[in-house]
Amino acid sequence: MTSATEPTGASSHYKLTHLKALEAEAIHIMREVAAQFEKPALMFSGGKDSIVMVRLAEKAFRPAKFPFPLLHIDTGHNFPEALAFRDKLVEDIGERLIVHKVQDLIDRGDAAEDPGPFPSRNRAQIPTLLDAIDKYQFDALFGGARRDEEKARAKERIFSFRDDFGQWDPKNQRPELWNLYNGRHRMGENIRVFPISNWTEMDVWQYIMLENIEIPGLYFSHKRDVVKRRGQLVPIGDDPFGPRDGETIINCTVRFRTVGDMSCTAATDSPASNLEEIVAEVAAARASERGARMDDKTNEAAMEDRKKEGYF
Amino acid sequence: MSAQTQSKTDFSTDPNANKGMDFSTDAYLDMDLLRFLTCGSVDDGKSTLIGRLLYDSKSIFEDQLEAAESASLSRGDQRMDLALLTDGLRAEREQGITIDVAYRYFATPKRKFIIADCPGHVQYTRNMVTGASTANLALILIDARHGVIEQTRRHSFITSLLRIPHLVVCVNKMDLVDWSQETYDKIREEFEEFAARFEITDITFVPMSALTGDNVVNRSQNMDWYQGPSLLHHLENVHIAGDRDMIDPRFPVQWVIRPQGDEHHDYRGYGGQIASGVFQVGDEIIALPSGMESKIKSIDIGGVPQPLATPPMSVSIQLEDDIDISRGDMLCRPNNQPTSGQDIDAMVVWMAETPMKVGKKYTVRHTSNEARCIIKNLNYRLDIKTLHRVEEAEDLKLNEIGRIAIRTTKPLFYDPYRQCRVTGSFIIVDEQTNNTVGAAMIIGETS
């Protein structure tokens, strides 16, 4: 790793910046999971948060290998750029990647496409994830979710317990005190662990800049074919992501603040082409990051419902 | 009451509000982190205060505001309910209460802040204790019309029990008492009198109105008799670097890093987070419980060397000698060691519906260590309303606080909680349900 680990902006080694404090907390959490669980895995989507998680895992476990594989729940709706990035990163770090495909479950009849003409595969991710947990017997899964993303997350623990059905019970969460994490669990139970719970979008970008972490080009401004749909700029790709009736393709300079499925991630009209410009843009932003996720808009408690069902 | 409507109007008409902070890259990388706790109930104006801090620091986005607005309307409210911005779970929204600790984030060019937003009522003591466990500072809200009430005393006591180093008393709703200095002085005097019984070293008082914004971010024009800082100014400047213990080196070993393969076959690192004190390359150390001594050969983070490590850094330490060390062991200095013992005297906050029973066996988690224990004695229960000791108590129920004696199956390496929050705290786990049922602060060895 070539990252900067010296305390920044101050000559003293005793000063601890907020990014270093957040990093230390995340490393501690990752090691705690490695010690308390038999079969963890790190959920990797190719998005910036999971890329930061990989860097944190390097900080926690290098020069040894990670004591867990990476797991990608592949919806089949990925940006091709994100998949290419994923494969290159995995090769660079020399770690194990497990890909579990939503399409395989749909083909088997164990997951269904949502009704409607242009379904999102958010819901079909749930049985796919649970199937992967069952197949590989994972007892802990790292996720890159942050509490600042959405209201339902603000009250979720860092160690978040799921029952046999992968469900989250918001009213029955374990108290979490000091830096003591209670990972005791029964057979069949598993937890989701969120090491960057206390980070904000701004923190993630600043950390990427501080650590000089490579991220997919989708995050930087580029020319892309999009259509305007319900007030948002929706990327256009190969079938089934083509334009719908009455929509006109426009080619403009955009970037993505968040990289999810092509079917449900809107682009931002932005000229920000490097990390400094992105940070400046985030600092001045008027809409939240998840505002670009069409899946959360379905109803006000959308995220809470999906979490209860086992969504990350 | 038009509190929410009015506050919303204030937000949107204030020409200086929500302009965004001027974050230069360098400044941002030099910020530090302050975790603070807010305690109070809806009536104290806590949601309004948090809403204002978030809004004025530009941490609430338009789509979140819109979502809260439309949720208010669809519920049939006449006005936007600001609490909707902060109350996350559907059950809470439907019942109009806050039942769990919620974490909120905002930043100014000087600091990043993490707010642990805790419900105020007595039945939520465990939530407040949870939020308090990681806080450097507590905000206690007092309604200027009501002054110091039982809840204020309870919150102050928990602040001192959990040893939060800094306390800010927000005397809120000053607009409703005509910005009266006399009212403020009286509350301040009353608070200081009862707080003298607690171990709270740093108390700051701020008269304010969260609703109108007076003394929240900007100095009040209405209270020229107040010479102190605004709340945000204080939060940005309160000295927290001194809260860390740099004297007593404690390093609980969390995970042994031993690469397989030829490239690093000599590497054997001990991963962990510095609990307190400073560790430097070349320092002599002793490992507990073995008592073996060695010297620090290297300190690194992810393979990148560090000259020294301070709390709460997560590092990997290599030693000069190959001695047997595993998870749960502790590195410290030969001439500065924690207590090593099995009979422990502690204050405990009970967090489960099932009461704590004397004679029952539990599991304790302490630093990276785990042991079984038996509750040998309940010395007294502390009545959290009167602060009287109830010596005839036989058990501890949910949200009750008591002083207990435990014996563990193996030695723990601990310090008094008042010296070190990390090595002085443990949690109690029920062995049947696996739930975390107690939070304990070590006083010392049982006599």
Side-chain angles (χ1 to χ4, degrees):
Chain A
M1 285 195 337
T2 54
S3 55
T5 14
E6 300 290 304
T8 43
S11 56
S12 166
H13 288 290
Y14 291 86
K15 169 148 186 165
L16 194 77
T17 65
H18 76 295
L19 289 175
K20 287 290 153 192
L22 293 172
E23 176 192 78
E25 179 182 71
I27 294 171
H28 173 82
I29 292 162
M30 287 190 161
R31 286 171 173 166
E32 211 48 34
V33 171
Q36 292 194 39
F37 292 84
E38 296 287 324
K39 289 211 69 178
L42 190 153
M43 299 279 289
F44 185 80
S45 67
K48 67 180 193 309
D49 298 307
S50 65
I51 294 167
V52 163
M53 297 271 291
V54 167
R55 171 58 56 92
L56 292 166
E58 290 182 302
K59 300 232 176 188
F61 302 109
R62 290 291 186 247
K65 294 272 185 200
F66 299 171
F68 42 74
L70 310 186
L71 171 67
H72 182 214
I73 300 300
D74 182 350
T75 60
H77 286 186
N78 305 288
F79 287 94
E81 298 95 320
L83 288 186
F85 184 90
R86 175 196 76 186
D87 293 340
K88 180 175 178 298
L89 179 86
V90 166
E91 198 186 317
D92 288 349
I93 61 174
E95 296 288 345
R96 204 151 52 92
L97 170 73
I98 295 170
V99 178
H100 214 61
K101 294 186 171 174
V102 168
Q103 190 63 51
D104 290 345
L105 269 89
I106 291 174
D107 293 347
R108 264 176 18 209
D110 291 335
E113 296 269 18
D114 275 3
F118 304 104
S120 132
R121 283 188 165 175
N122 257 323
R123 200 165 284 277
Q125 274 184 300
I126 301 171
T128 312
L129 176 61
L130 298 181
D131 188 66
I133 291 171
D134 192 51
K135 178 173 174 189
Y136 298 101
Q137 293 292 299
F138 293 129
D139 51 8
L141 292 171
F142 289 110
R146 310 186 316 265
R147 288 181 179 139
D148 77 322
E149 284 178 86
E150 212 273 343
K151 280 189 291 184
R153 292 211 198 271
K155 302 192 177 187
E156 186 156 11
R157 303 290 187 259
I158 288 170
F159 273 34
S160 182
F161 277 78
R162 306 302 161 103
D163 63 16
D164 295 356
F165 302 97
Q167 297 185 91
W168 179 56
D169 178 1
K171 283 203 166 174
N172 191 24
Q173 303 195 83
R174 290 181 184 173
E176 215 161 64
L177 298 110
W178 297 290
N179 66 347
L180 295 170
Y181 300 99
N182 170 12
R184 284 176 71 117
H185 58 287
R186 296 195 182 94
M187 286 287 289
E189 283 177 336
N190 63 81
I191 63 162
R192 310 291 156 82
V193 183
F194 304 109
I196 60 169
S197 285
N198 285 323
W199 299 44
T200 59
E201 184 186 12
M202 184 64 145
D203 297 328
V204 170
W205 282 117
Q206 289 286 352
Y207 191 73
I208 289 168
M209 195 159 77
L210 175 70
E211 291 281 323
N212 199 16
I213 298 172
E214 201 185 331
I215 53 171
L218 291 164
Y219 286 108
F220 302 107
S221 68
H222 56 284
K223 285 283 200 186
R224 177 173 290 268
D225 286 346
V226 297
V227 294
K228 273 202 174 141
R229 189 178 296 161
R230 289 157 74 187
Q232 292 184 305
L233 297 175
V234 178
I236 290 304
D238 294 339
D239 200 50
F241 307 116
R244 299 177 192 171
D245 290 346
E247 288 178 341
T248 318
I249 296 181
I250 38 177
N251 187 271
C252 50
T253 302
V254 296
R255 66 177 205 89
F256 293 91
R257 278 179 84 182
T258 165
V259 173
D261 281 0
M262 279 191 82
S263 53
C264 62
T265 307
T268 313
D269 180 4
S270 160
S273 60
N274 59 44
L275 287 170
E276 282 79 6
E277 287 169 11
I278 288 175
V279 166
E281 189 180 285
V282 171
R286 301 301 315 262
S288 77
E289 192 182 9
R290 290 208 78 86
R293 297 291 271 259
M294 303 169 232
D295 38 325
D296 287 342
K297 295 208 162 170
T298 317
N299 72 63
E300 218 246 331
M303 176 71 100
E304 192 179 335
D305 286 343
R306 280 188 285 131
K307 283 175 83 78
K308 283 182 183 169
E309 284 177 41
Y311 179 80
F312 234 77
Chain B
M1 198 194 77
S2 63
Q4 277 79 9
T5 330
Q6 198 182 329
S7 59
K8 195 208 154 200
T9 313
D10 284 348
F11 287 160
S12 46
T13 54
D14 179 352
N16 294 315
N18 214 23
K19 276 280 177 62
M21 295 288 177
D22 177 25
F23 284 97
S24 76
T25 302
D26 291 347
Y28 194 91
L29 296 178
D30 201 23
M31 284 161 57
D32 61 6
L33 174 64
L34 173 67
R35 296 176 194 248
F36 70 93
L37 167 81
T38 55
C39 8
S41 56
V42 181
D43 307 337
D44 302 323
K46 186 177 59 137
S47 297
T48 313
L49 177 60
I50 294 174
R52 182 162 286 283
L53 284 172
L54 296 181
Y55 194 89
D56 285 1
S57 63
K58 221 188 67 57
S59 305
I60 292 175
F61 295 111
E62 274 176 351
D63 56 321
Q64 291 169 330
L65 269 177
E66 281 165 16
E69 261 178 346
S70 74
S72 295
L73 286 175
S74 71
R75 206 171 61 175
D77 294 353
Q78 296 298 307
R79 56 182 178 268
M80 186 181 81
D81 184 356
L82 253 188
L84 288 172
L85 286 171
T86 52
D87 291 350
L89 302 176
R90 178 186 288 179
E92 295 175 329
R93 288 197 299 275
E94 284 166 1
Q95 294 163 33
I97 50 160
T98 311
I99 49 177
D100 208 331
V101 186
Y103 294 90
R104 327 246 167 242
Y105 305 86
F106 73 101
T108 70
K110 281 198 169 167
R111 267 190 182 151
K112 171 185 165 110
F113 299 94
I114 300 179
I115 311 177
D117 179 13
C118 300
H121 297 293
V122 67
Q123 65 265 39
Y124 303 122
T125 296
R126 74 168 164 175
N127 302 86
M128 179 174 166
V129 169
T130 301
S133 70
T134 51
N136 314 88
L137 180 147
L139 282 190
I140 290 185
L141 272 89
I142 295 179
D143 185 329
R145 295 170 303 173
H146 304 138
V148 174
I149 55 174
E150 178 260 317
Q151 177 171 280
T152 319
R153 293 193 177 85
R154 186 156 41 80
H155 291 167
S156 310
F157 170 69
I158 293 171
T159 299
S160 82
L161 181 71
L162 272 290
R163 302 200 72 82
I164 300 177
H166 311 279
L167 176 61
V168 180
V169 180
C170 302
V171 182
N172 192 24
K173 304 200 183 181
M174 288 299 291
D175 54 319
L176 300 181
V177 295
D178 280 337
W179 316 104
S180 156
Q181 182 178 7
E182 197 189 337
T183 306
Y184 168 76
D185 285 344
K186 193 167 145 280
I187 291 170
R188 180 180 170 140
E189 214 168 281
E190 198 183 344
F191 189 95
E192 282 177 329
E193 195 179 305
F194 87 81
R197 290 191 286 164
F198 301 145
E199 288 184 273
I200 303 172
T201 47
D202 175 26
I203 306 184
T204 303
F205 294 85
V206 183
M208 66 171 65
S209 168
L211 187 61
T212 60
D214 285 69
N215 279 343
V216 178
V217 172
N218 300 312
R219 288 282 301 275
S220 171
Q221 306 295 311
N222 293 307
M223 292 178 280
D224 51 9
W225 45 264
Y226 171 74
Q227 299 303 317
S230 71
L231 174 64
L232 185 64
H233 185 270
H234 181 69
L235 293 175
E236 283 184 311
N237 291 287
V238 60
H239 180 67
I240 51 170
D243 298 344
R244 294 188 288 166
D245 174 352
M246 301 293 220
I247 307 293
D248 309 297
R250 306 281 186 265
F251 183 74
V253 174
Q254 222 191 334
W255 178 257
V256 181
I257 299 167
R258 229 175 329 175
Q260 310 295 318
D262 293 340
E263 199 188 341
H264 299 285
H265 74 276
D266 284 337
Y267 188 98
R268 187 185 173 89
Y270 302 105
Q273 190 169 22
I274 311 287
S276 70
V278 180
F279 287 84
Q280 298 193 60
V281 175
D283 280 354
E284 288 180 16
I285 60 92
I286 184 169
L288 300 176
S290 71
M292 302 286 282
E293 297 188 21
S294 184
K295 275 187 179 176
I296 294 180
K297 182 166 93 182
S298 74
I299 302 173
D300 72 85
I301 299 176
V304 179
Q306 310 285 317
L308 56 82
T310 59
M313 286 169 68
S314 284
V315 297
S316 172
I317 292 179
Q318 288 197 90
L319 301 178
E320 297 280 2
D321 307 285
D322 189 12
I323 56 181
D324 184 28
I325 294 173
S326 53
R327 174 174 167 86
D329 292 0
M330 185 178 284
L331 305 185
C332 49
R333 300 292 298 269
N335 60 358
N336 183 341
Q337 298 184 29
T339 308
S340 174
Q342 293 170 261
D343 291 290
I344 296 168
D345 178 14
M347 296 299 291
V348 65
V349 181
W350 203 249
M351 306 201 138
E353 303 280 350
T354 314
M356 184 199 80
K357 288 272 192 294
V358 175
K360 190 174 168 181
K361 295 185 180 71
Y362 296 93
T363 293
V364 296
R365 295 198 62 82
H366 170 259
T367 64
S368 55
N369 215 342
E370 187 177 280
R372 299 188 70 205
C373 80
I374 181 167
I375 311 284
K376 296 198 62 165
N377 193 18
L378 172 61
N379 289 325
Y380 55 82
R381 175 172 66 78
L382 201 69
D383 185 314
I384 197 170
K385 290 183 179 164
T386 61
L387 299 182
H388 289 146
R389 296 174 177 188
V390 183
E391 300 195 343
E392 58 274 21
E394 288 177 351
D395 62 9
L396 285 181
K397 298 183 179 64
L398 178 63
N399 293 313
E400 290 185 341
I401 299 171
R403 183 166 176 175
I404 58 169
I406 65 164
R407 181 171 173 84
T408 55
T409 49
K410 63 177 190 183
L412 301 183
F413 319 114
Y414 64 86
D415 295 289
Y417 186 76
R418 55 173 304 142
Q419 179 194 318
C420 179
R421 288 167 96 185
V422 179
T423 56
S425 57
F426 62 88
I427 56 171
I428 300 175
V429 176
D430 185 292
E431 297 182 339
Q432 273 74 52
T433 64
N434 289 336
N435 253 327
T436 303
V437 293
M441 289 134 284
I442 297 172
I443 296 167
E445 279 180 282
T446 51
S447 45

